Amino acid sequence: MYPQVLTAALAASVASAASLFGSSPVEATPDQSELFPFLAGAAPYFKYPLGNDYYKIDTAIPDTCTLKQVQVFARHGERFPSASSGNKLIKLYNTKFANLTKDALIDNEYFGFLLDPTYEFFLPDNSTLNLETTTENSITGPLNIYSGENTALKFGAEFVEKYAELIGDELPIFASSNTRVYDTAVNFGKSVEQYTNATVNVQILSEIEQEGANCLTPAASCQTWDDEEGYDIIEAFDTTYLDELAERLNNATTGLNLTSSDANLLFSWCAYEINAAGYSPVCEVFNQKELILHAYYDDLTSFYSDGPGNSVIKPIGSVLFNASTALLKDPPTEYSAYIGFTHDTDLENMMAAVGLFDTGAMMNSTFEYRNTIYKKSWMTPMGARFVLENYECGNSSYVRYVINDAVVPVPNCASGPGFSCEINDYYEYTEERLANVTDYVTACNVTAGLPSYVSFYWDWESKNYTAPLNVASY
């Protein structure tokens, strides 16, 4: 009921906006969602793609079972690019595209859209960089169906529909101290309050000041983390596809002089323009090979910077993994829905520890067609959500993960109802998973005196976390 009501309300808003703009959003905005899995986690939210090697497991709670607890670890909604990539995009557009002649663009199969008087580059200035996209700051206003604001509202409504019985009179929602993360948490909370009698209390956890383990961003306090680990492997990846892309576009456009670095930026232009406008004509310049290699290069980079290929990532990820297990064993008595919003890399760190997407094999610099396990953009698109469900069936308790609206079973532990893992078997899995992982404080050389474990789920009422917000992330 709840998401249907919200969807109807959003549709009515879009229809009203369409009448003002004199066009139908359905007709004016072609569907580009098939590109999202190739856009390095920068594109709008999409459900985890389950290929032919997977069974599409029903995400509904099994009929004979009763919900006991739910945990959510989520990424902020769709956003504008960061200051670094955003300023590069603004420079690229102004220096290499804004002044292309009409003769160069007439009948141009790639950039003819620049002659369209209705086209507006999505970054007229840098005022929106780092921010979540909303119906107010999107260049198409309410017509943008992919705004981070709408994604968070919809997620909140869907959450209520499935987990309403776990929401008490007051629901704390935890957010790292980044503006877009906080905005996502607030929008999610708006739906919770709209469709329940609960009062939402957003707790802001610092990601700028070193907080040790008591936060949603433990990597910020890890002094030994090297995001260039595996640099030699990443650098060995063949990027001639970018040279070929630049050459193809230059040959088709008189006066255009793109470098391979410029060509790489076009993928960001594509993804973030969809976030800000609902559609990007520049996405149409890529061929299948370019999209696939771009995605693999990002998977490779993520694997060694924020995933299982980095030597300190599992210790970092163990912070939230251990907190998740502690919530199962010793949950706060006041509430049973534990919700936190943070960044993609923090979720990737946690998943490296959990092991749902870790076979133990290292990725290499040669493109592997069958790399179907570690897909960064599948794991953490904008608005990503990792949900751990705990339900009782008869006299037994079970858990399972729902990753971006798809059940992803715990490795070798999926014999329970709904392909879940019996709770004691899951505890054994967690112990085995972390048995050879160095503890976070030691591995990261965390400053003495900083917290060594998560406490905010249990002490938020007495502490009242109110860290100041920052536009840039840590």
Short mmCIF file of all heavy atoms in Angstrom, two decimals, residues 27 44 50 71 82 148 155 197 250 274 283 324 331 335 356 412 421 448 457 474:
data_model
loop_
_atom_site.label_atom_id
_atom_site.label_comp_id
_atom_site.label_asym_id
_atom_site.label_seq_id
_atom_site.Cartn_x
_atom_site.Cartn_y
_atom_site.Cartn_z
N GLU A 27 7.10 10.53 -22.80
CA GLU A 27 7.53 10.63 -24.19
C GLU A 27 8.90 11.31 -24.31
O GLU A 27 9.69 10.99 -25.18
CB GLU A 27 6.50 11.44 -24.98
CG GLU A 27 5.14 10.77 -25.08
CD GLU A 27 4.10 11.66 -25.76
OE1 GLU A 27 4.43 12.81 -26.08
OE2 GLU A 27 2.98 11.17 -25.95
N PRO A 44 21.88 6.14 -11.40
CA PRO A 44 20.79 5.95 -10.45
C PRO A 44 20.67 4.51 -9.94
O PRO A 44 21.23 3.57 -10.50
CB PRO A 44 19.55 6.35 -11.26
CG PRO A 44 20.05 7.31 -12.27
CD PRO A 44 21.40 6.79 -12.64
N LEU A 50 20.32 -10.22 -11.40
CA LEU A 50 20.52 -11.65 -11.20
C LEU A 50 20.53 -12.33 -12.56
O LEU A 50 19.52 -12.37 -13.26
CB LEU A 50 19.41 -12.23 -10.32
CG LEU A 50 19.38 -11.66 -8.90
CD1 LEU A 50 18.23 -12.26 -8.11
CD2 LEU A 50 20.68 -11.95 -8.18
N GLN A 71 18.11 -4.85 9.76
CA GLN A 71 19.24 -3.91 9.74
C GLN A 71 19.40 -3.37 8.33
O GLN A 71 19.31 -4.13 7.36
CB GLN A 71 20.53 -4.62 10.16
CG GLN A 71 20.49 -5.25 11.54
CD GLN A 71 21.76 -6.02 11.84
OE1 GLN A 71 22.80 -5.86 11.18
NE2 GLN A 71 21.69 -6.89 12.85
N SER A 82 31.33 14.97 -7.51
CA SER A 82 32.15 15.61 -6.48
C SER A 82 32.81 16.85 -7.06
O SER A 82 32.79 17.10 -8.27
CB SER A 82 33.24 14.64 -6.01
OG SER A 82 34.14 14.38 -7.08
N GLY A 148 17.80 11.97 -6.17
CA GLY A 148 18.09 11.27 -4.92
C GLY A 148 16.99 11.46 -3.91
O GLY A 148 16.72 10.57 -3.09
N PHE A 155 12.20 4.60 -1.13
CA PHE A 155 12.79 3.56 -0.29
C PHE A 155 12.15 3.57 1.10
O PHE A 155 11.83 2.51 1.67
CB PHE A 155 14.30 3.80 -0.19
CG PHE A 155 15.04 2.81 0.69
CD1 PHE A 155 14.62 1.50 0.83
CD2 PHE A 155 16.19 3.21 1.37
CE1 PHE A 155 15.31 0.59 1.64
CE2 PHE A 155 16.89 2.32 2.16
CZ PHE A 155 16.45 1.02 2.31
N ASN A 197 3.00 6.10 12.75
CA ASN A 197 2.86 7.08 13.84
C ASN A 197 4.18 7.34 14.53
O ASN A 197 4.22 7.99 15.59
CB ASN A 197 1.84 6.57 14.87
CG ASN A 197 0.43 6.48 14.30
OD1 ASN A 197 0.00 7.36 13.56
ND2 ASN A 197 -0.29 5.41 14.65
N ASN A 250 36.46 12.33 -32.20
CA ASN A 250 37.18 13.42 -32.86
C ASN A 250 37.01 13.36 -34.38
O ASN A 250 36.80 14.39 -35.04
CB ASN A 250 38.67 13.37 -32.51
CG ASN A 250 38.94 13.75 -31.07
OD1 ASN A 250 38.14 14.44 -30.44
ND2 ASN A 250 40.07 13.31 -30.53
N ILE A 274 22.19 12.00 -15.88
CA ILE A 274 20.96 11.25 -15.63
C ILE A 274 20.46 11.54 -14.22
O ILE A 274 19.27 11.76 -13.99
CB ILE A 274 21.18 9.73 -15.81
CG1 ILE A 274 21.55 9.39 -17.26
CG2 ILE A 274 19.92 8.96 -15.41
CD1 ILE A 274 21.89 7.94 -17.48
N CYS A 283 25.19 9.73 -23.16
CA CYS A 283 25.29 8.29 -22.92
C CYS A 283 25.23 7.48 -24.21
O CYS A 283 25.71 6.33 -24.25
CB CYS A 283 24.17 7.81 -22.00
SG CYS A 283 24.23 8.48 -20.32
N SER A 324 26.85 -5.43 13.41
CA SER A 324 25.66 -6.12 12.91
C SER A 324 25.41 -7.40 13.70
O SER A 324 24.27 -7.70 14.10
CB SER A 324 25.84 -6.43 11.42
OG SER A 324 24.81 -7.26 10.94
N PRO A 331 20.34 -7.05 21.02
CA PRO A 331 19.68 -5.90 20.42
C PRO A 331 19.18 -4.90 21.48
O PRO A 331 18.81 -5.31 22.59
CB PRO A 331 18.50 -6.52 19.68
CG PRO A 331 18.19 -7.76 20.44
CD PRO A 331 19.53 -8.27 20.91
N TYR A 335 13.93 -0.59 20.21
CA TYR A 335 13.55 -0.61 18.80
C TYR A 335 14.19 -1.79 18.10
O TYR A 335 15.19 -2.35 18.58
CB TYR A 335 13.92 0.71 18.12
CG TYR A 335 15.41 1.02 18.03
CD1 TYR A 335 16.02 1.15 16.79
CD2 TYR A 335 16.20 1.19 19.17
CE1 TYR A 335 17.38 1.43 16.69
CE2 TYR A 335 17.54 1.48 19.08
CZ TYR A 335 18.13 1.61 17.84
OH TYR A 335 19.47 1.89 17.73
N LEU A 356 30.02 -11.76 0.93
CA LEU A 356 29.04 -12.19 -0.06
C LEU A 356 29.58 -12.12 -1.48
O LEU A 356 29.12 -12.85 -2.37
CB LEU A 356 27.77 -11.33 0.03
CG LEU A 356 26.99 -11.35 1.34
CD1 LEU A 356 25.66 -10.60 1.16
CD2 LEU A 356 26.73 -12.76 1.81
N ASN A 412 27.29 -20.98 1.42
CA ASN A 412 27.20 -22.29 2.07
C ASN A 412 26.29 -22.31 3.29
O ASN A 412 26.45 -23.16 4.18
CB ASN A 412 28.60 -22.79 2.46
CG ASN A 412 29.53 -22.87 1.28
OD1 ASN A 412 29.17 -23.39 0.22
ND2 ASN A 412 30.73 -22.32 1.44
N CYS A 421 19.83 -18.36 6.54
CA CYS A 421 20.86 -19.09 7.28
C CYS A 421 20.43 -19.18 8.74
O CYS A 421 20.11 -18.16 9.36
CB CYS A 421 22.20 -18.35 7.16
SG CYS A 421 23.59 -19.11 8.01
N ALA A 448 45.31 6.04 19.91
CA ALA A 448 44.96 5.55 21.25
C ALA A 448 43.86 6.41 21.87
O ALA A 448 43.87 7.64 21.76
CB ALA A 448 46.20 5.56 22.14
N TYR A 457 24.28 2.52 18.31
CA TYR A 457 22.97 1.88 18.28
C TYR A 457 22.36 1.77 19.68
O TYR A 457 21.14 1.77 19.85
CB TYR A 457 23.06 0.48 17.68
CG TYR A 457 23.35 0.42 16.20
CD1 TYR A 457 24.55 -0.12 15.73
CD2 TYR A 457 22.42 0.87 15.27
CE1 TYR A 457 24.82 -0.21 14.38
CE2 TYR A 457 22.68 0.79 13.91
CZ TYR A 457 23.89 0.26 13.46
OH TYR A 457 24.15 0.18 12.11
N TYR A 474 34.66 12.58 3.50
CA TYR A 474 35.98 12.39 4.10
C TYR A 474 36.98 11.82 3.09
O TYR A 474 36.59 11.27 2.06
CB TYR A 474 35.87 11.47 5.30
CG TYR A 474 35.59 10.02 5.01
CD1 TYR A 474 36.62 9.08 4.94
CD2 TYR A 474 34.29 9.56 4.79
CE1 TYR A 474 36.36 7.75 4.68
CE2 TYR A 474 34.02 8.23 4.54
CZ TYR A 474 35.05 7.34 4.47
OH TYR A 474 34.80 6.00 4.22
#
